[in-house]
Amino acid sequence: MPGPIQSLERAAAILRLLAGGERRLGLSDVASSLGLAKGTTHGILRTLQQEGFVEQDPVSGKYQLGAELLRLGNSYLDVHELRARALVWTDDLARSSGEAAYLGVLHQQGVLIVHHVFRPDDSRQVLEVGAMQPLHSTALGKVLSAFDPVAHSEVAEGELAALTPRTVTDPAGFEQVLELTRARGWAADLEETWDGVASVAAPVYDRRRMPVGAVGVTGAVERVCDESGIRARLVAAVRDCARAVSRDLGAGRF
Amino acid sequence: MTDPQTSADPTGTSSHGSGPFIAAIDQGTTSSRCIVFDRDGRIVAVDQKEHEQIFPKPGWVEHDAAEIWTNVQEVVAGAIAKAAQDIPGFTPADVKAIGITNQRETTLLWDRHTGEPVHNALVWQDTRTDALCRELGRNVGQDRFRRETGLPLASYFAGPKIRWLLDNVPGLRERAEAGDILFGTMDSWVIWNLTGGVNGGVHVTDVTNASRTLLMNLHTLEWDHKILASMEVPAAVLPQIRSSSEVYGTTNVGGLDGVPVASALGDQQAALFGQTCFAEGEAKSTYGTGTFMLMNTGGTPVNSYNGLITTVGYRIGEEAPVYALEGSIAVTGALVQWMRDQMGLISTAAEIETLASSVADNGGAYFVPAFSGLFAPYWRDDARGVIAGLTRYVTKAHIARAVLEATAWQTREIADAMTKDSDVELTALKVDGGMTSNNLLMQTLADALDAPVVRPMVAETTCLGAAYAAGLAVGFWPDTDALRANWKRAAEWTPRMDAADRDREYKNWLKAVERTMGWIEEEH
């Protein structure tokens, strides 16, 4: 087993130094306190600064702990916050696509529906917020499995149950689906969960580019698909919506 | 509250329709906005700018009307520029009309020759006219003008604010009587400026805004000269009362060229219009820091004996006016903010749902947020907030649940008062505002009301209402049926609560409400 990595040890020492005593320190204070060369210290500080763990005061040039450290300990995105941010965008997605829109997050071994916008056709529909959907067959679930490693390990440990004759049930085939999903940035479900129903979904990211959920539309296969699969117009609308929600999460505080 | 409405920047959504369009200005309490809508009622461009809240003394709230007018011009230009950027081939000529909705009751007097305000605008929240209102009530009290105006004598309304300005700005009464001064709520100020200001600007208000002055007779829809005399307001300052949907004039502001200015509606009435509550018995409730619920009562103004306000809902051109009953709740979203900012139990408003969802019920706790007394239907300023039913079992999660239930039961109380006054049973409630993103709250609301709660697809019902009224005036939309067709249900919550549970919980809530009353022993 290799020994400790020296530069990481030094970075940790710098963070401890900035966390105690005086709140702001100049480069030479840091270097002399730790007995390091100024050049070495500067390199480490600059790397920490790029990662957001350290901030430099533009006027005095002194260093202090960065906001990213606080966020590390408090990184969980509340799903209700996610819904509040997604509201206008998912309304717009349902209107422009003419289909029901859903926002899902990973919960245990499945997709928890945290937001649902009705298909805009005045038909009687039931709100599905709180429902669970399978990870391995739905578009939302495939997106989460492809982009979130925790979801991937959940789906890999579970059974790929055949829900319809079209469900992909062999693990190798499923991994290929996930690779395709990563490559093109969206996933489809062509009657793989429910007969006659197709869906398309794309990932939602937070400000650190962590996948926090998936957004998509679901509807009758005759409307959602053409000869080549999911209609390109719907894929574009779903991806636009996912980008808009992600941008909103990146812009705001949480 | 996290307000998803403010983040409605549609850049990046490429799928928006093509022109022509209608623009709407929302001159609100904290900001001015301009939104451009397409024929389907979808948002194509938004611009927004906040203005300063001026607090000269405790209880006094003012706005700089010149700043507001500058902001209005900027947001109109901004929204037009964004539309031009996002929509291929867009030109300002594609905007067929512009409508106005506004913070209600906020009162301004300005010089008709210079266009300069004589004083900051007195905002609806400003309570400096409390004593004046009591004095104006004489031996009759709050209801002295209720038969004519539908309103209680309260500091919100514009009439007493005009009187305060005439009494307190040196020389103003003489100038007003000489015809040099104009009064307006923010709709009048914006329209006068949009249509040319000192160069021929039209001095008008609409029936909904006029119905909040305490000076308009609800039955004739004209200024009531007896009340004007009682309140010592010279008729010369008053704008002409017009319908909510007609062409008042044209504007060249913000890159527009001769575009008709074609609607004005107070903000809550605009939301009623935007929610397409065009039939008697249809109601909407807007959930922000406070809540305003309005119910369409058709062609007759219904007197309230249960603490509601009678107001004009809207009037389309020469058609008969449509009246509404209004109930307001002072503290709804503000209670969630209080849990976040004062109690520190949550870090964002949305987290209240997470905390509340971690338990199945309120654990026996009830929270009545009578922070500054109780509003409709009680109107008790001696009440203060109470958390009742505490035991060692109760956790912060139960309190969070009680916080959400407080909004639901307060809505139920208003709905009950509306049913009593109008004999119309609430069949469904249309909701909007920031709190509608709270799924547990919306379900709780449906349970408390024992009626479905429906959320439309456009969150911006206030601006949409002004756009609809303006579009109707210029024939952009043929009739209200076309607007109804635009209304799309985004979500619907149906009651799931057992009737016996609902009755028990409501009874407990009413018991908790009783315990808030009489806390303040002396009025000061």
Side-chain angles (χ1 to χ4, degrees), chain B residues 33-65:
Chain B
R33 293 191 299 163
C34 181
I35 301 186
V36 180
F37 292 93
D38 69 9
R39 204 181 289 275
D40 295 335
R42 292 176 59 198
I43 295 169
V44 297
V46 188
D47 199 26
Q48 174 164 0
K49 198 151 189 247
E50 294 193 0
H51 56 261
E52 193 189 351
Q53 307 293 314
I54 303 163
F55 305 105
K57 285 185 188 183
W60 291 27
V61 189
E62 298 178 355
H63 290 158
D64 176 351

PDB file of all heavy atoms in Angstrom, chain B residues 33-65:
ATOM      1  N   ARG B  33     -43.185  44.537 -13.502  1.00  0.00           N
ATOM      2  CA  ARG B  33     -42.820  43.536 -14.483  1.00  0.00           C
ATOM      3  C   ARG B  33     -43.555  43.793 -15.773  1.00  0.00           C
ATOM      4  O   ARG B  33     -44.608  44.413 -15.779  1.00  0.00           O
ATOM      5  CB  ARG B  33     -43.204  42.142 -13.988  1.00  0.00           C
ATOM      6  CG  ARG B  33     -42.390  41.732 -12.805  1.00  0.00           C
ATOM      7  CD  ARG B  33     -42.593  40.300 -12.507  1.00  0.00           C
ATOM      8  NE  ARG B  33     -43.972  40.033 -12.198  1.00  0.00           N
ATOM      9  CZ  ARG B  33     -44.500  38.823 -12.217  1.00  0.00           C
ATOM     10  NH1 ARG B  33     -43.754  37.798 -12.571  1.00  0.00           N
ATOM     11  NH2 ARG B  33     -45.746  38.643 -11.901  1.00  0.00           N
ATOM     12  N   CYS B  34     -42.979  43.291 -16.856  1.00  0.00           N
ATOM     13  CA  CYS B  34     -43.699  43.284 -18.113  1.00  0.00           C
ATOM     14  C   CYS B  34     -43.554  41.884 -18.691  1.00  0.00           C
ATOM     15  O   CYS B  34     -42.444  41.332 -18.716  1.00  0.00           O
ATOM     16  CB  CYS B  34     -43.151  44.318 -19.088  1.00  0.00           C
ATOM     17  SG  CYS B  34     -44.071  44.333 -20.644  1.00  0.00           S
ATOM     18  N   ILE B  35     -44.665  41.293 -19.089  1.00  0.00           N
ATOM     19  CA  ILE B  35     -44.648  39.963 -19.695  1.00  0.00           C
ATOM     20  C   ILE B  35     -45.324  40.044 -21.057  1.00  0.00           C
ATOM     21  O   ILE B  35     -46.350  40.707 -21.202  1.00  0.00           O
ATOM     22  CB  ILE B  35     -45.371  38.929 -18.809  1.00  0.00           C
ATOM     23  CG1 ILE B  35     -44.706  38.850 -17.430  1.00  0.00           C
ATOM     24  CG2 ILE B  35     -45.379  37.553 -19.475  1.00  0.00           C
ATOM     25  CD1 ILE B  35     -45.263  37.758 -16.528  1.00  0.00           C
ATOM     26  N   VAL B  36     -44.720  39.371 -22.035  1.00  0.00           N
ATOM     27  CA  VAL B  36     -45.320  39.280 -23.364  1.00  0.00           C
ATOM     28  C   VAL B  36     -45.903  37.878 -23.510  1.00  0.00           C
ATOM     29  O   VAL B  36     -45.211  36.885 -23.244  1.00  0.00           O
ATOM     30  CB  VAL B  36     -44.271  39.552 -24.468  1.00  0.00           C
ATOM     31  CG1 VAL B  36     -44.917  39.440 -25.848  1.00  0.00           C
ATOM     32  CG2 VAL B  36     -43.651  40.936 -24.278  1.00  0.00           C
ATOM     33  N   PHE B  37     -47.183  37.798 -23.910  1.00  0.00           N
ATOM     34  CA  PHE B  37     -47.882  36.522 -24.070  1.00  0.00           C
ATOM     35  C   PHE B  37     -48.221  36.278 -25.535  1.00  0.00           C
ATOM     36  O   PHE B  37     -48.471  37.230 -26.284  1.00  0.00           O
ATOM     37  CB  PHE B  37     -49.205  36.530 -23.294  1.00  0.00           C
ATOM     38  CG  PHE B  37     -49.053  36.560 -21.799  1.00  0.00           C
ATOM     39  CD1 PHE B  37     -49.053  37.772 -21.123  1.00  0.00           C
ATOM     40  CD2 PHE B  37     -48.926  35.390 -21.067  1.00  0.00           C
ATOM     41  CE1 PHE B  37     -48.927  37.814 -19.736  1.00  0.00           C
ATOM     42  CE2 PHE B  37     -48.800  35.419 -19.688  1.00  0.00           C
ATOM     43  CZ  PHE B  37     -48.803  36.630 -19.013  1.00  0.00           C
ATOM     44  N   ASP B  38     -48.291  35.003 -25.919  1.00  0.00           N
ATOM     45  CA  ASP B  38     -48.774  34.681 -27.259  1.00  0.00           C
ATOM     46  C   ASP B  38     -50.271  34.360 -27.193  1.00  0.00           C
ATOM     47  O   ASP B  38     -50.897  34.457 -26.135  1.00  0.00           O
ATOM     48  CB  ASP B  38     -47.963  33.534 -27.887  1.00  0.00           C
ATOM     49  CG  ASP B  38     -48.188  32.189 -27.205  1.00  0.00           C
ATOM     50  OD1 ASP B  38     -49.094  32.090 -26.351  1.00  0.00           O
ATOM     51  OD2 ASP B  38     -47.452  31.240 -27.528  1.00  0.00           O
ATOM     52  N   ARG B  39     -50.838  33.963 -28.321  1.00  0.00           N
ATOM     53  CA  ARG B  39     -52.289  33.790 -28.388  1.00  0.00           C
ATOM     54  C   ARG B  39     -52.786  32.654 -27.495  1.00  0.00           C
ATOM     55  O   ARG B  39     -53.920  32.660 -27.049  1.00  0.00           O
ATOM     56  CB  ARG B  39     -52.719  33.549 -29.853  1.00  0.00           C
ATOM     57  CG  ARG B  39     -54.164  33.928 -30.108  1.00  0.00           C
ATOM     58  CD  ARG B  39     -54.570  33.651 -31.540  1.00  0.00           C
ATOM     59  NE  ARG B  39     -53.982  34.551 -32.508  1.00  0.00           N
ATOM     60  CZ  ARG B  39     -54.491  35.745 -32.830  1.00  0.00           C
ATOM     61  NH1 ARG B  39     -55.577  36.169 -32.250  1.00  0.00           N
ATOM     62  NH2 ARG B  39     -53.899  36.504 -33.725  1.00  0.00           N
ATOM     63  N   ASP B  40     -51.896  31.667 -27.232  1.00  0.00           N
ATOM     64  CA  ASP B  40     -52.281  30.576 -26.345  1.00  0.00           C
ATOM     65  C   ASP B  40     -52.160  30.949 -24.875  1.00  0.00           C
ATOM     66  O   ASP B  40     -52.370  30.118 -24.002  1.00  0.00           O
ATOM     67  CB  ASP B  40     -51.403  29.339 -26.607  1.00  0.00           C
ATOM     68  CG  ASP B  40     -51.625  28.765 -27.990  1.00  0.00           C
ATOM     69  OD1 ASP B  40     -52.727  28.979 -28.531  1.00  0.00           O
ATOM     70  OD2 ASP B  40     -50.701  28.120 -28.524  1.00  0.00           O
ATOM     71  N   GLY B  41     -51.761  32.199 -24.599  1.00  0.00           N
ATOM     72  CA  GLY B  41     -51.568  32.608 -23.218  1.00  0.00           C
ATOM     73  C   GLY B  41     -50.246  32.137 -22.651  1.00  0.00           C
ATOM     74  O   GLY B  41     -50.058  32.106 -21.434  1.00  0.00           O
ATOM     75  N   ARG B  42     -49.312  31.779 -23.529  1.00  0.00           N
ATOM     76  CA  ARG B  42     -47.991  31.342 -23.042  1.00  0.00           C
ATOM     77  C   ARG B  42     -47.024  32.514 -22.999  1.00  0.00           C
ATOM     78  O   ARG B  42     -47.073  33.411 -23.835  1.00  0.00           O
ATOM     79  CB  ARG B  42     -47.438  30.234 -23.940  1.00  0.00           C
ATOM     80  CG  ARG B  42     -48.236  28.944 -23.816  1.00  0.00           C
ATOM     81  CD  ARG B  42     -47.733  27.895 -24.769  1.00  0.00           C
ATOM     82  NE  ARG B  42     -46.325  27.599 -24.520  1.00  0.00           N
ATOM     83  CZ  ARG B  42     -45.544  27.004 -25.397  1.00  0.00           C
ATOM     84  NH1 ARG B  42     -46.013  26.665 -26.583  1.00  0.00           N
ATOM     85  NH2 ARG B  42     -44.296  26.755 -25.102  1.00  0.00           N
ATOM     86  N   ILE B  43     -46.133  32.446 -21.997  1.00  0.00           N
ATOM     87  CA  ILE B  43     -45.174  33.526 -21.797  1.00  0.00           C
ATOM     88  C   ILE B  43     -44.077  33.443 -22.855  1.00  0.00           C
ATOM     89  O   ILE B  43     -43.479  32.381 -23.030  1.00  0.00           O
ATOM     90  CB  ILE B  43     -44.551  33.416 -20.392  1.00  0.00           C
ATOM     91  CG1 ILE B  43     -45.631  33.638 -19.330  1.00  0.00           C
ATOM     92  CG2 ILE B  43     -43.391  34.388 -20.223  1.00  0.00           C
ATOM     93  CD1 ILE B  43     -45.186  33.288 -17.931  1.00  0.00           C
ATOM     94  N   VAL B  44     -43.801  34.552 -23.547  1.00  0.00           N
ATOM     95  CA  VAL B  44     -42.683  34.541 -24.490  1.00  0.00           C
ATOM     96  C   VAL B  44     -41.535  35.427 -24.024  1.00  0.00           C
ATOM     97  O   VAL B  44     -40.399  35.232 -24.443  1.00  0.00           O
ATOM     98  CB  VAL B  44     -43.100  34.916 -25.930  1.00  0.00           C
ATOM     99  CG1 VAL B  44     -44.079  33.895 -26.492  1.00  0.00           C
ATOM    100  CG2 VAL B  44     -43.714  36.286 -26.000  1.00  0.00           C
ATOM    101  N   ALA B  45     -41.789  36.403 -23.153  1.00  0.00           N
ATOM    102  CA  ALA B  45     -40.694  37.227 -22.643  1.00  0.00           C
ATOM    103  C   ALA B  45     -41.122  37.888 -21.338  1.00  0.00           C
ATOM    104  O   ALA B  45     -42.284  38.231 -21.152  1.00  0.00           O
ATOM    105  CB  ALA B  45     -40.292  38.292 -23.661  1.00  0.00           C
ATOM    106  N   VAL B  46     -40.147  38.046 -20.430  1.00  0.00           N
ATOM    107  CA  VAL B  46     -40.399  38.654 -19.126  1.00  0.00           C
ATOM    108  C   VAL B  46     -39.277  39.629 -18.804  1.00  0.00           C
ATOM    109  O   VAL B  46     -38.119  39.348 -19.098  1.00  0.00           O
ATOM    110  CB  VAL B  46     -40.359  37.596 -17.978  1.00  0.00           C
ATOM    111  CG1 VAL B  46     -40.809  38.216 -16.669  1.00  0.00           C
ATOM    112  CG2 VAL B  46     -41.175  36.376 -18.301  1.00  0.00           C
ATOM    113  N   ASP B  47     -39.609  40.763 -18.204  1.00  0.00           N
ATOM    114  CA  ASP B  47     -38.581  41.585 -17.570  1.00  0.00           C
ATOM    115  C   ASP B  47     -39.157  42.139 -16.276  1.00  0.00           C
ATOM    116  O   ASP B  47     -40.359  42.355 -16.164  1.00  0.00           O
ATOM    117  CB  ASP B  47     -38.104  42.705 -18.494  1.00  0.00           C
ATOM    118  CG  ASP B  47     -36.744  43.247 -18.036  1.00  0.00           C
ATOM    119  OD1 ASP B  47     -35.990  42.493 -17.390  1.00  0.00           O
ATOM    120  OD2 ASP B  47     -36.456  44.425 -18.295  1.00  0.00           O
ATOM    121  N   GLN B  48     -38.294  42.329 -15.296  1.00  0.00           N
ATOM    122  CA  GLN B  48     -38.750  42.691 -13.961  1.00  0.00           C
ATOM    123  C   GLN B  48     -37.732  43.590 -13.290  1.00  0.00           C
ATOM    124  O   GLN B  48     -36.536  43.423 -13.466  1.00  0.00           O
ATOM    125  CB  GLN B  48     -38.926  41.403 -13.134  1.00  0.00           C
ATOM    126  CG  GLN B  48     -39.252  41.639 -11.679  1.00  0.00           C
ATOM    127  CD  GLN B  48     -39.785  40.386 -11.017  1.00  0.00           C
ATOM    128  OE1 GLN B  48     -39.913  39.353 -11.642  1.00  0.00           O
ATOM    129  NE2 GLN B  48     -40.107  40.476  -9.742  1.00  0.00           N
ATOM    130  N   LYS B  49     -38.226  44.545 -12.506  1.00  0.00           N
ATOM    131  CA  LYS B  49     -37.310  45.413 -11.757  1.00  0.00           C
ATOM    132  C   LYS B  49     -37.943  45.782 -10.413  1.00  0.00           C
ATOM    133  O   LYS B  49     -39.098  46.184 -10.364  1.00  0.00           O
ATOM    134  CB  LYS B  49     -37.032  46.674 -12.582  1.00  0.00           C
ATOM    135  CG  LYS B  49     -35.801  47.406 -12.126  1.00  0.00           C
ATOM    136  CD  LYS B  49     -35.109  48.170 -13.237  1.00  0.00           C
ATOM    137  CE  LYS B  49     -33.772  48.672 -12.726  1.00  0.00           C
ATOM    138  NZ  LYS B  49     -33.705  50.097 -12.608  1.00  0.00           N
ATOM    139  N   GLU B  50     -37.164  45.642  -9.350  1.00  0.00           N
ATOM    140  CA  GLU B  50     -37.680  45.975  -8.019  1.00  0.00           C
ATOM    141  C   GLU B  50     -37.541  47.459  -7.752  1.00  0.00           C
ATOM    142  O   GLU B  50     -36.680  48.119  -8.324  1.00  0.00           O
ATOM    143  CB  GLU B  50     -36.922  45.177  -6.953  1.00  0.00           C
ATOM    144  CG  GLU B  50     -37.190  43.694  -7.078  1.00  0.00           C
ATOM    145  CD  GLU B  50     -36.732  42.897  -5.871  1.00  0.00           C
ATOM    146  OE1 GLU B  50     -36.196  43.503  -4.914  1.00  0.00           O
ATOM    147  OE2 GLU B  50     -36.925  41.670  -5.888  1.00  0.00           O
ATOM    148  N   HIS B  51     -38.380  47.982  -6.878  1.00  0.00           N
ATOM    149  CA  HIS B  51     -38.235  49.370  -6.462  1.00  0.00           C
ATOM    150  C   HIS B  51     -38.109  49.448  -4.945  1.00  0.00           C
ATOM    151  O   HIS B  51     -38.400  48.495  -4.230  1.00  0.00           O
ATOM    152  CB  HIS B  51     -39.388  50.235  -6.977  1.00  0.00           C
ATOM    153  CG  HIS B  51     -40.734  49.727  -6.562  1.00  0.00           C
ATOM    154  ND1 HIS B  51     -41.532  48.978  -7.392  1.00  0.00           N
ATOM    155  CD2 HIS B  51     -41.417  49.836  -5.405  1.00  0.00           C
ATOM    156  CE1 HIS B  51     -42.647  48.661  -6.762  1.00  0.00           C
ATOM    157  NE2 HIS B  51     -42.603  49.166  -5.547  1.00  0.00           N
ATOM    158  N   GLU B  52     -37.691  50.630  -4.494  1.00  0.00           N
ATOM    159  CA  GLU B  52     -37.381  50.803  -3.086  1.00  0.00           C
ATOM    160  C   GLU B  52     -38.656  50.847  -2.245  1.00  0.00           C
ATOM    161  O   GLU B  52     -39.658  51.447  -2.636  1.00  0.00           O
ATOM    162  CB  GLU B  52     -36.606  52.123  -2.910  1.00  0.00           C
ATOM    163  CG  GLU B  52     -35.973  52.254  -1.547  1.00  0.00           C
ATOM    164  CD  GLU B  52     -35.406  53.655  -1.304  1.00  0.00           C
ATOM    165  OE1 GLU B  52     -35.360  54.470  -2.248  1.00  0.00           O
ATOM    166  OE2 GLU B  52     -35.018  53.919  -0.159  1.00  0.00           O
ATOM    167  N   GLN B  53     -38.602  50.189  -1.079  1.00  0.00           N
ATOM    168  CA  GLN B  53     -39.670  50.302  -0.087  1.00  0.00           C
ATOM    169  C   GLN B  53     -39.215  51.352   0.920  1.00  0.00           C
ATOM    170  O   GLN B  53     -38.149  51.218   1.522  1.00  0.00           O
ATOM    171  CB  GLN B  53     -39.892  48.962   0.617  1.00  0.00           C
ATOM    172  CG  GLN B  53     -40.128  47.792  -0.326  1.00  0.00           C
ATOM    173  CD  GLN B  53     -41.440  47.892  -1.085  1.00  0.00           C
ATOM    174  OE1 GLN B  53     -42.484  48.189  -0.510  1.00  0.00           O
ATOM    175  NE2 GLN B  53     -41.383  47.687  -2.395  1.00  0.00           N
ATOM    176  N   ILE B  54     -39.996  52.381   1.081  1.00  0.00           N
ATOM    177  CA  ILE B  54     -39.586  53.502   1.944  1.00  0.00           C
ATOM    178  C   ILE B  54     -40.417  53.450   3.228  1.00  0.00           C
ATOM    179  O   ILE B  54     -41.648  53.436   3.172  1.00  0.00           O
ATOM    180  CB  ILE B  54     -39.788  54.837   1.202  1.00  0.00           C
ATOM    181  CG1 ILE B  54     -38.990  54.807  -0.115  1.00  0.00           C
ATOM    182  CG2 ILE B  54     -39.371  56.012   2.068  1.00  0.00           C
ATOM    183  CD1 ILE B  54     -39.401  55.851  -1.129  1.00  0.00           C
ATOM    184  N   PHE B  55     -39.710  53.377   4.379  1.00  0.00           N
ATOM    185  CA  PHE B  55     -40.395  53.297   5.675  1.00  0.00           C
ATOM    186  C   PHE B  55     -40.036  54.508   6.526  1.00  0.00           C
ATOM    187  O   PHE B  55     -39.118  54.427   7.344  1.00  0.00           O
ATOM    188  CB  PHE B  55     -39.983  52.020   6.416  1.00  0.00           C
ATOM    189  CG  PHE B  55     -40.189  50.755   5.627  1.00  0.00           C
ATOM    190  CD1 PHE B  55     -39.112  50.082   5.065  1.00  0.00           C
ATOM    191  CD2 PHE B  55     -41.458  50.242   5.443  1.00  0.00           C
ATOM    192  CE1 PHE B  55     -39.295  48.919   4.331  1.00  0.00           C
ATOM    193  CE2 PHE B  55     -41.652  49.072   4.711  1.00  0.00           C
ATOM    194  CZ  PHE B  55     -40.575  48.406   4.158  1.00  0.00           C
ATOM    195  N   PRO B  56     -40.738  55.643   6.381  1.00  0.00           N
ATOM    196  CA  PRO B  56     -40.337  56.848   7.106  1.00  0.00           C
ATOM    197  C   PRO B  56     -40.566  56.732   8.609  1.00  0.00           C
ATOM    198  O   PRO B  56     -39.856  57.360   9.390  1.00  0.00           O
ATOM    199  CB  PRO B  56     -41.240  57.941   6.519  1.00  0.00           C
ATOM    200  CG  PRO B  56     -41.886  57.343   5.316  1.00  0.00           C
ATOM    201  CD  PRO B  56     -41.908  55.866   5.534  1.00  0.00           C
ATOM    202  N   LYS B  57     -41.559  55.946   9.024  1.00  0.00           N
ATOM    203  CA  LYS B  57     -41.902  55.778  10.438  1.00  0.00           C
ATOM    204  C   LYS B  57     -42.496  54.377  10.572  1.00  0.00           C
ATOM    205  O   LYS B  57     -42.955  53.811   9.584  1.00  0.00           O
ATOM    206  CB  LYS B  57     -43.015  56.761  10.842  1.00  0.00           C
ATOM    207  CG  LYS B  57     -42.597  58.202  11.004  1.00  0.00           C
ATOM    208  CD  LYS B  57     -43.794  58.994  11.531  1.00  0.00           C
ATOM    209  CE  LYS B  57     -43.470  60.494  11.512  1.00  0.00           C
ATOM    210  NZ  LYS B  57     -44.555  61.284  12.071  1.00  0.00           N
ATOM    211  N   PRO B  58     -42.567  53.848  11.813  1.00  0.00           N
ATOM    212  CA  PRO B  58     -43.252  52.566  11.970  1.00  0.00           C
ATOM    213  C   PRO B  58     -44.684  52.643  11.422  1.00  0.00           C
ATOM    214  O   PRO B  58     -45.407  53.597  11.711  1.00  0.00           O
ATOM    215  CB  PRO B  58     -43.271  52.341  13.479  1.00  0.00           C
ATOM    216  CG  PRO B  58     -42.134  53.157  13.990  1.00  0.00           C
ATOM    217  CD  PRO B  58     -42.028  54.341  13.093  1.00  0.00           C
ATOM    218  N   GLY B  59     -45.066  51.671  10.624  1.00  0.00           N
ATOM    219  CA  GLY B  59     -46.423  51.642  10.082  1.00  0.00           C
ATOM    220  C   GLY B  59     -46.604  52.442   8.802  1.00  0.00           C
ATOM    221  O   GLY B  59     -47.631  52.354   8.166  1.00  0.00           O
ATOM    222  N   TRP B  60     -45.603  53.254   8.442  1.00  0.00           N
ATOM    223  CA  TRP B  60     -45.706  54.037   7.209  1.00  0.00           C
ATOM    224  C   TRP B  60     -44.942  53.320   6.095  1.00  0.00           C
ATOM    225  O   TRP B  60     -43.813  52.892   6.310  1.00  0.00           O
ATOM    226  CB  TRP B  60     -45.113  55.436   7.389  1.00  0.00           C
ATOM    227  CG  TRP B  60     -45.897  56.338   8.312  1.00  0.00           C
ATOM    228  CD1 TRP B  60     -46.704  55.958   9.346  1.00  0.00           C
ATOM    229  CD2 TRP B  60     -45.929  57.776   8.272  1.00  0.00           C
ATOM    230  NE1 TRP B  60     -47.231  57.077   9.951  1.00  0.00           N
ATOM    231  CE2 TRP B  60     -46.781  58.194   9.319  1.00  0.00           C
ATOM    232  CE3 TRP B  60     -45.320  58.732   7.445  1.00  0.00           C
ATOM    233  CZ2 TRP B  60     -47.033  59.549   9.564  1.00  0.00           C
ATOM    234  CZ3 TRP B  60     -45.567  60.080   7.703  1.00  0.00           C
ATOM    235  CH2 TRP B  60     -46.426  60.482   8.748  1.00  0.00           C
ATOM    236  N   VAL B  61     -45.552  53.207   4.931  1.00  0.00           N
ATOM    237  CA  VAL B  61     -44.882  52.575   3.783  1.00  0.00           C
ATOM    238  C   VAL B  61     -45.132  53.435   2.545  1.00  0.00           C
ATOM    239  O   VAL B  61     -46.286  53.742   2.236  1.00  0.00           O
ATOM    240  CB  VAL B  61     -45.426  51.150   3.525  1.00  0.00           C
ATOM    241  CG1 VAL B  61     -44.570  50.437   2.486  1.00  0.00           C
ATOM    242  CG2 VAL B  61     -45.488  50.327   4.810  1.00  0.00           C
ATOM    243  N   GLU B  62     -44.043  53.814   1.867  1.00  0.00           N
ATOM    244  CA  GLU B  62     -44.187  54.684   0.701  1.00  0.00           C
ATOM    245  C   GLU B  62     -43.396  54.137  -0.488  1.00  0.00           C
ATOM    246  O   GLU B  62     -42.465  53.353  -0.332  1.00  0.00           O
ATOM    247  CB  GLU B  62     -43.658  56.098   1.040  1.00  0.00           C
ATOM    248  CG  GLU B  62     -44.424  56.774   2.167  1.00  0.00           C
ATOM    249  CD  GLU B  62     -43.866  58.154   2.522  1.00  0.00           C
ATOM    250  OE1 GLU B  62     -42.815  58.560   1.951  1.00  0.00           O
ATOM    251  OE2 GLU B  62     -44.482  58.819   3.366  1.00  0.00           O
ATOM    252  N   HIS B  63     -43.806  54.550  -1.682  1.00  0.00           N
ATOM    253  CA  HIS B  63     -43.050  54.277  -2.901  1.00  0.00           C
ATOM    254  C   HIS B  63     -42.773  55.582  -3.621  1.00  0.00           C
ATOM    255  O   HIS B  63     -43.600  56.499  -3.586  1.00  0.00           O
ATOM    256  CB  HIS B  63     -43.850  53.368  -3.848  1.00  0.00           C
ATOM    257  CG  HIS B  63     -43.995  51.963  -3.358  1.00  0.00           C
ATOM    258  ND1 HIS B  63     -45.002  51.134  -3.792  1.00  0.00           N
ATOM    259  CD2 HIS B  63     -43.257  51.241  -2.488  1.00  0.00           C
ATOM    260  CE1 HIS B  63     -44.873  49.950  -3.198  1.00  0.00           C
ATOM    261  NE2 HIS B  63     -43.830  49.997  -2.402  1.00  0.00           N
ATOM    262  N   ASP B  64     -41.616  55.626  -4.282  1.00  0.00           N
ATOM    263  CA  ASP B  64     -41.278  56.773  -5.119  1.00  0.00           C
ATOM    264  C   ASP B  64     -41.916  56.527  -6.503  1.00  0.00           C
ATOM    265  O   ASP B  64     -41.446  55.672  -7.254  1.00  0.00           O
ATOM    266  CB  ASP B  64     -39.753  56.880  -5.212  1.00  0.00           C
ATOM    267  CG  ASP B  64     -39.308  57.994  -6.163  1.00  0.00           C
ATOM    268  OD1 ASP B  64     -40.166  58.566  -6.877  1.00  0.00           O
ATOM    269  OD2 ASP B  64     -38.095  58.273  -6.195  1.00  0.00           O
ATOM    270  N   ALA B  65     -42.963  57.278  -6.806  1.00  0.00           N
ATOM    271  CA  ALA B  65     -43.717  57.015  -8.042  1.00  0.00           C
ATOM    272  C   ALA B  65     -42.890  57.319  -9.288  1.00  0.00           C
ATOM    273  O   ALA B  65     -43.100  56.714 -10.336  1.00  0.00           O
ATOM    274  CB  ALA B  65     -45.014  57.821  -8.048  1.00  0.00           C
TER     275      ALA B  65
END
